[in-house]
């Protein structure tokens, strides 16, 4: 067998494996019908009974605009066009993201959205302080979903569930009506997510939702899609995904377009896809991706993944997995308490 034949055979085998994994996900997920209203699609969030827009507005990109009026207009514009799921975090842009989103949600907009924010504290006291600061910035007495942020180290779950850990603060916040639902997020390695899920089960704590990367590169490298997604679906935990374009780094491979990236993420994720929107032009592109979306067939998914396979092997287009560039708590360990 010559090299060309070997590579062709290897591609066929890899394609067959990917196809089987996609079939298994179809079997687990079953039918998850989306509801169309206006320009937007809405999907169930696990077993919560909530329905979220298929696209979520990423909070990290809110607060980067030179003028806060631009940020406020962007949030309002997204809501006016049907985006109901808003993402944020205590540490985004030094708190500016939450402040600007809070201003945008005045005048009745808060009642139109499902609001999520995250905290970095690993201890009860650090987490309680950050939760209250977030509510003040967001100008609300509660968020809909509160997330443990950046579960990116293997010992992060142990700290959350340890003596005087942040899980106590999260449960206290929920009991006090400061949040309706609880969950966690991370972007580093699926093994850490699985450890968090295992510890949560051991402590009789069932997350309502989990946020993780899902994109056209992830399927080939430290894959959340293959390792974590089936478990979330089988346990009816709400699936939220991020990094559909890898902060636009995936586009630098020139293997896929932005619309293809969004369509892939919306296909494999039965819930909502958080995407960074920092201008009205990017908002238009995101809405267009929803307007022309039909779930990719298994054959289309395999073909798309075949185009990205050689770019994804080393994780060079998923820098959130392979570098510390996106690890805010690594740069500021004092935030963890």
């Amino acid at each position: 067998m010559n090299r060309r034949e070997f590579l062709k055979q290897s591609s066929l085998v890899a394609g067959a494996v990917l196809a089987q994994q996609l079939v298994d996900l179809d079997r687990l997920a079953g039918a998850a019908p989306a509801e169309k209203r206006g320009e937007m699609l809405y999907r169930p969030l696990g077993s919560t009974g909530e329905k979220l827009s298929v696209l979520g507005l990423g909070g990290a990109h809110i607060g980067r605009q030179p003028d806060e009026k631009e940020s406020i207009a962007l949030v309002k514009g997204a809501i006016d066009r049907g985006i109901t799921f808003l993402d944020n975090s205590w540490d985004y842009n030094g708190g500016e993201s939450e402040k600007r989103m809070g201003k945008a949600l005045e005048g009745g907009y808060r009642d139109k959205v499902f609001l999520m924010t995250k905290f970095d504290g690993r201890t009860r006291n650090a987490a309680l302080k950050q939760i209250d600061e977030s509510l003040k910035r967001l100008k609300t007495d509660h968020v809909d979903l509160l997330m443990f942020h950046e579960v990116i180290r293997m010992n992060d779950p142990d700290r959350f569930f340890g003596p005087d850990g942040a899980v106590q603060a999260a449960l206290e916040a929920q009991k006090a009506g400061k949040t309706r639902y609880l969950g966690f997020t991370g972007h580093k390695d699926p093994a850490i997510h699985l450890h968090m899920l295992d510890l949560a089960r051991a402590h009789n704590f069932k997350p309502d939702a989990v946020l993780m990367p899902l994109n056209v590169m992830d399927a080939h490298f430290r894959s959340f899609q293959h390792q974590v997604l089936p478990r979330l679906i089988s346990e009816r935990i709400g699936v939220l995904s991020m990094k559909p374009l890898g902060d636009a780094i995936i586009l630098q491979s020139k293997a896929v377009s932005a619309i293809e990236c969004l369509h892939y993420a919306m296909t494999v994720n039965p819930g909502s896809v958080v995407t960074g929107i920092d201008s009205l032009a990017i908002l238009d592109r995101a809405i267009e991706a929803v307007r022309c979306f039909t779930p990719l067939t298994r054959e289309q998914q395999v073909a798309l993944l075949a185009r990205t396979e050689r770019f994804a092997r080393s994780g060079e287009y998923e820098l959130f997995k392979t570098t510390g560039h996106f690890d805010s708590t690594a740069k500021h360990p004092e935030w963890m308490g």
Side-chain angles (χ1 to χ4, degrees):
M1 181 184 294
N2 62 34
R3 184 174 183 275
R4 178 177 294 180
E5 290 172 337
F6 174 77
L7 291 174
K8 181 178 179 181
Q9 187 65 29
S10 297
S11 274
L12 289 173
V13 171
V17 171
L18 285 170
Q20 184 58 50
Q21 289 170 325
L22 295 171
V23 168
D24 288 345
L25 283 178
D26 285 348
R27 177 181 56 80
L28 282 169
E35 177 186 342
K36 181 75 179 288
R37 299 199 302 266
E39 296 181 287
M40 190 53 59
L41 294 171
Y42 301 86
R43 288 173 171 170
L45 178 66
S47 58
T48 64
E50 304 288 341
K51 278 197 172 181
L52 277 57
S53 54
V54 71
L55 286 183
L57 180 71
H61 290 72
I62 300 300
R64 296 180 182 177
Q65 295 72 31
D67 187 339
E68 75 165 19
K69 292 180 181 177
E70 295 179 51
S71 306
I72 293 169
L74 193 54
V75 175
K76 289 181 180 290
I79 298 169
D80 289 340
R81 299 188 70 174
I83 292 179
T84 60
F85 177 38
L86 304 188
D87 158 88
N88 222 310
S89 176
W90 173 84
D91 63 39
Y92 285 163
N93 299 300
E96 193 64 24
S97 289
E98 287 185 330
K99 290 176 183 176
R100 294 185 181 190
M101 189 170 282
K103 291 178 181 180
L105 293 178
E106 292 182 308
Y109 276 83
R110 173 66 184 93
D111 296 334
K112 299 179 180 181
V113 301
F114 186 95
L115 181 61
M116 178 182 84
T117 200
K118 320 176 194 80
F119 61 86
D120 295 312
R122 270 54 175 163
T123 66
R124 174 182 175 274
N125 287 341
L128 283 174
K129 183 174 181 291
Q130 291 168 9
I131 292 166
D132 286 341
E133 287 177 358
S134 288
L135 294 177
K136 183 176 180 181
R137 293 171 184 163
L138 290 165
K139 297 180 179 291
T140 185
D141 62 356
H142 77 283
V143 292
D144 297 291
L145 175 60
L146 186 63
M147 303 286 260
F148 298 89
H149 192 208
E150 286 198 358
V151 184
I152 58 174
R153 307 161 192 83
M154 193 56 81
N155 72 338
D156 279 339
D158 301 275
R159 293 191 66 186
F160 284 131
F161 287 101
D164 199 38
V167 70
Q168 298 178 39
L171 291 171
E172 286 176 33
Q174 187 177 46
K175 186 175 181 180
K178 296 178 181 179
T179 185
R180 298 166 61 211
Y181 303 107
L182 297 171
F184 71 92
T185 173
H187 55 252
K188 191 62 67 181
D189 193 304
I192 302 171
H193 267 54
L194 294 174
H195 179 44
M196 182 73 169
L197 289 168
D198 287 342
L199 268 189
R201 177 183 289 171
H203 286 83
N204 295 315
F205 176 91
K206 181 183 178 182
D208 295 298
V210 171
L211 176 63
M212 61 187 180
L214 291 175
N215 60 56
V216 293
M217 300 288 182
D218 170 80
H220 304 290
F221 180 78
R222 296 182 195 165
S223 179
F224 287 85
Q225 177 180 338
H226 296 325
Q227 297 183 52
V228 181
L229 182 59
R231 180 162 173 182
L232 299 183
I233 292 173
S234 66
E235 296 183 13
R236 298 191 67 208
I237 296 171
V239 180
L240 303 172
S241 68
M242 57 181 165
K243 307 287 194 288
L245 283 70
D247 206 32
I249 296 170
I250 288 174
L251 300 182
Q252 295 174 17
S253 71
K254 301 192 184 304
V256 285
S257 69
I259 294 290
E260 286 176 320
C261 287
L262 289 169
H263 281 180
Y264 181 84
M266 288 190 287
T267 295
V268 299
N269 178 358
S272 186
V273 178
V274 176
T275 188
I277 297 174
D278 56 12
S279 69
L280 291 176
I282 298 298
L283 174 60
D284 286 341
R285 185 181 71 185
I287 297 297
E288 173 60 18
V290 176
R291 188 197 64 78
C292 66
F293 173 67
T294 54
L296 302 178
T297 64
R298 286 192 291 275
E299 292 73 21
Q300 289 172 324
Q301 291 175 61
V302 170
L304 190 57
L305 293 177
R307 282 160 47 193
T308 62
E309 193 272 337
R310 71 184 179 91
F311 298 99
R313 292 172 188 162
S314 65
E316 64 180 301
Y317 293 97
E318 291 188 285
L319 296 184
F320 48 88
K321 292 180 181 176
T322 58
T323 75
H325 179 70
F326 293 88
D327 302 347
S328 59
T329 53
K331 298 180 181 73
H332 296 278
E334 70 276 9
W335 291 349
M336 297 188 287

